[in-house]
Amino acid sequence: MKPRKSKYPQIEALEITDIAAEGKSLGKYNDVVVFVPHTVPGDVVRVQINNKRRRFMEGYVLDFVQYSPLRVEPFCKHYGECGGCKWQALPYPMQLEYKQRQVAGQLRRLGGIELPEISLIIGSEKSEYYRNKLEFTFSDKRWVPRAEVAEGAATGDGDALGFHIPGMFDKVLDVEWCHLQPEPSNAIRLEVKRFVQENGMEFYNLREHRGLLRNIIVRTSTTGEVMVTVVFAREDAVARTALLEHLRVRFPEITSLNYIINEKLNDSIGDQEVFCYSGKPYMEERMENLTFRINPKSFYQTNSEQAYNLYKVARDFAELTGDEVVYDLYTGTGTIANFVAARAKRVVGIEYVPEAIEDAKQNSALNGIGNTLFFAGDMKDVLNAEFIAEHGRPDVIILDPPRAGIHGDVAATILAAAPRRIVYVSCNPATQARDLAIFDSAYRVTRVQPVDMFPHTHHVENVVQLVRR
């Protein structure tokens, strides 16, 4: 199959000089920045440009003219096709260096505020098999890897159970082995695919919305428990029972086996009923002396061991003595709130998702924690002067907002509440920097601690302590 001609130019020998945002690297061609994925500094590559703007260009590698001495061999056979783990070719210590630099650069450039010395990033002890949750998608339109296309393979043929190709909602990479989640994750996925194919069950067509099998979600815990949730596109009691019973017998280590019938056009399951087929309707995770119950729709940090390190940093930055009223904003399932409760007078958690708040309350009860209160609703509507008057002015506020950061009204309410300390946990240092600038008139940043939750990706968590001026 001949490659299509591009309207954009090729660059014969582009030297990659630095790491850029979103897992890409960059070089310069005639003083114009060129972003190229799957490269590392020191690589010299032949590049096909596929996006050209006035100030930058984007492209992909056609050939490596020279490999960087920094480069390491990617450990996954799907590297370059799958949208995840884009930094596999970069040694992990260097990944940490770039993440440290990313945090410092974004806080200084976008925040424009005075900063203390930024602590050395806390790396993940595990750089493979560190995730506790993966969701795999069924598709009857398998993404054909470039190597197969070069050999003349037909496109879009066959079934796949794996990950969406970035930017292509209806194409799924058939994953043979994933290095993100510990076993039995791969064994379960591969057995499900085999059983479904051998029994003539239909893989879902994402474009035409037909077929039976949509998704499978596998969750594992450090306690050794395994949760599997199979999502069907329609009710078919015979096929559903056959698959679930096979999983129950074949994998006795599954402690929670569930299913969902999702007849909607999208894959979100937040509004769908979960049915427990066998085992418990939840699994349990432990952190210090606390037990957290996780149901199929619960949010829990996907790197359990690093989550513990992250929460220890947040608790340390809160500097609690036992007399403080703490507000945990964007509390999720109350993990941080329950984690710090033993060192506080009272913890008040607020979260948008009602089901998450029910999980938070349940986890407090499960652990005999009696000094937490949880409320569901939109943060900017719930957190106001009346709420604070009723539940007490916070001495410390811990906030862990979504990637978009906090709403302006929320920032204004926090400033009016004037807590002594703010602990800001962020998965996006760019929006965190913007918010820190809002607080700068009343608070100074006193401690900064990056934490790497997701090795081989460009994502980084960052914890900042702010003290009232």
Side-chain angles (χ1 to χ4, degrees):
M1 182 181 292
K2 291 184 178 179
R4 290 183 301 173
K5 273 195 169 183
S6 174
K7 63 179 179 179
Y8 296 117
Q10 290 183 10
I11 301 174
E12 293 302 315
L14 177 72
E15 182 181 0
I16 302 301
T17 57
D18 205 352
I19 295 292
E22 299 179 357
K24 298 174 184 176
S25 298
L26 64 84
K28 280 195 172 181
Y29 176 71
N30 293 338
D31 292 326
V32 176
V33 171
V34 182
F35 296 105
V36 187
H38 306 122
T39 57
V40 302
D43 283 337
V44 179
V45 289
R46 187 162 69 91
V47 175
Q48 174 63 62
I49 300 300
N50 59 1
N51 186 18
K52 191 173 182 180
R53 296 289 183 265
R54 188 166 62 87
R55 295 187 177 183
F56 69 90
M57 295 187 289
E58 296 178 303
Y60 57 89
V61 174
L62 293 171
D63 292 302
F64 282 86
V65 178
Q66 178 181 311
Y67 287 107
S68 168
L70 302 176
R71 174 177 282 274
V72 295
E73 186 68 25
F75 50 79
C76 179
K77 72 166 293 179
H78 301 300
Y79 174 74
E81 299 281 353
C82 175
C85 305
K86 294 177 182 176
W87 278 5
Q88 285 182 46
L90 194 66
Y92 187 56
M94 290 200 68
Q95 295 179 30
L96 295 178
E97 287 180 28
Y98 282 112
K99 291 185 183 190
Q100 179 96 18
R101 200 172 78 186
Q102 174 188 335
V103 169
Q106 290 180 329
L107 292 189
R108 291 194 174 101
R109 187 178 72 256
L110 302 177
I113 57 175
E114 183 180 351
L115 294 171
E117 182 177 352
I118 297 174
S119 298
L120 190 64
I121 188 170
I122 299 173
S124 177
E125 186 175 332
K126 293 179 180 176
S127 60
E128 295 181 47
Y129 305 111
Y130 60 84
R131 286 186 67 101
N132 57 40
K133 177 186 177 184
L134 283 178
E135 179 172 346
F136 304 103
T137 299
F138 291 87
S139 174
D140 66 352
K141 297 296 181 187
R142 179 178 73 98
W143 171 258
V144 181
R146 286 187 290 270
E148 291 185 35
V149 173
E151 294 171 1
T155 58
D157 60 335
D159 297 326
L161 179 54
F163 301 127
H164 284 271
I165 292 294
M168 298 185 182
F169 78 94
D170 62 334
K171 291 291 191 296
V172 171
L173 175 71
D174 190 47
V175 175
E176 294 182 23
W177 192 268
C178 180
H179 294 255
L180 282 173
Q181 189 176 28
E183 287 303 281
S185 177
N186 282 297
I188 290 170
R189 186 193 66 258
L190 293 170
E191 181 61 19
V192 165
K193 184 187 177 190
R194 184 199 68 77
F195 184 87
V196 168
Q197 285 184 317
E198 287 189 5
N199 286 274
M201 300 179 190
E202 294 177 297
F203 285 56
Y204 198 65
N205 183 293
L206 292 146
R207 185 174 289 274
E208 299 176 11
H209 301 289
R210 54 175 171 77
L212 178 63
L213 277 301
R214 294 188 70 152
N215 307 96
I216 180 170
I217 304 163
V218 181
R219 302 183 83 149
T220 52
S221 78
T222 58
T223 62
E225 295 190 357
V226 179
M227 173 185 283
V228 175
T229 304
V230 183
V231 184
F232 297 87
R234 65 176 187 273
E235 175 63 295
D236 182 332
V238 173
R240 170 174 56 77
T241 303
L243 174 57
L244 294 173
E245 185 62 17
H246 178 72
L247 283 174
R248 186 189 69 81
V249 174
R250 173 67 177 79
F251 296 99
E253 60 266 47
I254 296 176
T255 55
S256 176
L257 181 57
N258 312 281
Y259 70 94
I260 294 171
I261 309 297
N262 179 13
E263 298 179 340
K264 302 183 306 174
L265 298 184
N266 64 65
D267 286 338
S268 64
I269 61 170
D271 57 350
Q272 300 294 292
E273 185 174 1
V274 180
F275 301 92
C276 183
Y277 180 80
S278 68
K280 304 178 296 185
Y282 58 84
M283 71 176 195
E284 294 184 341
E285 186 59 271
R286 290 194 62 81
M287 193 177 290
E288 291 186 348
N289 62 334
L290 301 176
T291 299
F292 295 97
R293 283 188 180 174
I294 302 166
N295 69 53
K297 296 194 286 186
S298 294
F299 170 79
Y300 194 83
Q301 287 281 0
T302 50
N303 185 338
S304 298
E305 293 174 26
Q306 272 298 81
Y308 178 45
N309 289 325
L310 181 74
Y311 295 156
K312 282 194 294 184
V313 171
R315 185 174 62 186
D316 177 42
F317 281 16
E319 297 182 15
L320 302 175
T321 65
D323 295 326
E324 294 87 359
V325 173
V326 178
Y327 279 20
D328 181 27
L329 308 185
Y330 312 94
T331 190
T333 55
T335 314
I336 292 179
N338 286 305
F339 188 69
V340 304
R343 302 189 186 184
K345 178 181 178 181
R346 183 167 66 256
V347 183
V348 178
I350 305 174
E351 165 63 39
Y352 181 76
V353 182
E355 291 87 353
I357 287 298
E358 291 307 310
D359 288 343
K361 292 176 180 178
Q362 183 184 60
N363 283 321
S364 285
L366 179 65
N367 291 284
I369 298 170
N371 63 334
T372 56
L373 293 169
F374 294 102
F375 301 89
D378 192 312
M379 189 67 63
K380 64 180 172 54
D381 298 329
V382 175
L383 186 68
N384 53 36
E386 292 77 15
F387 182 93
I388 292 169
E390 181 179 354
H391 300 288
R393 188 180 69 82
D395 301 295
V396 176
I397 287 181
I398 301 173
L399 59 152
D400 186 0
R403 290 189 61 80
I406 62 176
H407 191 278
D409 292 349
V410 176
T413 304
I414 292 173
L415 286 168
R420 291 199 299 271
R421 277 181 299 284
I422 300 171
V423 180
Y424 191 149
V425 183
S426 174
C427 60
N428 186 351
T431 54
Q432 184 184 45
R434 177 205 66 200
D435 295 339
L436 295 178
I438 296 172
F439 292 130
D440 189 53
S441 61
Y443 290 85
R444 59 188 176 89
V445 175
T446 47
R447 300 169 77 179
V448 180
Q449 177 64 72
V451 180
D452 183 28
M453 302 286 286
F454 304 107
H456 309 298
T457 78
H458 64 281
H459 298 292
V460 61
E461 297 268 339
N462 191 48
V463 189
V464 170
Q465 182 195 63
L466 300 100
V467 174
R468 194 173 65 211
R469 293 186 185 277

